[in-house]
Amino acid sequence: MSTIDTPGLMRLLRRDVQLWNEWREAHLEAKVSFRNECLSHLNLIRANFTGIDLAGVNLSHSDLSGANLVGANLKRADLSGAKLIGANLVGTKLTGADLSNANL
C-alpha cells in the first residue's frame, strides 16, 4: 500500500481533531506520513496518530495530552514545550526527538 497524499489530511487535522480521529479510525490500515510538516502550537488533544510517520515534524508547543501515538515514528521530531500528559507512547520511536521543556 502506498503512502497517502497528506495535504487534505493535514487540513482535516488542523480544522477538527474529532473529524481527523473518525477518519483515522476508519482507515487504520492507511500508511500516513506527515514527515517534516509543521504542527506547532496546535490543540491536538486526544488526536489519534497510531502508526503515523511524524519523523522530523515540528510539534513544538502543541497540546498532545491524551494523544494516541502508539507505534508512531517521531524520530528527530521537535516536541519542545509540547504537552504530552497522558499520551500513549507505547512503541513510539523517539530517537533524536527534542523533548526539551516538554510536559510528560
Side-chain angles (χ1 to χ4, degrees):
M1 175 178 289
S2 61
T3 301
I4 294 175
D5 189 30
T6 61
L9 293 177
M10 187 66 68
R11 283 190 297 276
L12 177 63
L13 176 61
R14 285 186 174 124
R15 188 179 74 224
D16 189 322
V17 172
Q18 183 57 41
L19 286 176
W20 158 260
N21 285 346
E22 290 172 13
W23 182 89
R24 186 65 187 141
E25 191 61 37
H27 300 90
L28 284 175
E29 77 291 346
K31 199 171 190 178
V32 178
S33 175
F34 290 151
R35 189 175 280 258
N36 299 316
E37 294 287 347
C38 182
L39 295 170
S40 66
H41 295 91
L42 294 179
N43 177 351
L44 300 170
I45 296 171
R46 291 185 294 282
N48 184 349
F49 291 116
T50 302
I52 302 287
D53 184 1
L54 297 164
V57 169
N58 181 352
L59 286 160
S60 64
H61 304 284
S62 287
D63 191 344
L64 293 151
S65 299
N68 186 347
L69 294 157
V70 171
N73 179 8
L74 283 162
K75 290 180 180 178
R76 300 173 316 284
D78 183 355
L79 294 159
S80 60
K83 293 180 185 172
L84 292 154
I85 300 164
N88 189 342
L89 298 167
V90 172
T92 302
K93 296 174 183 92
L94 291 163
T95 305
D98 181 355
L99 292 163
S100 59
N101 298 312
N103 189 343
L104 300 166

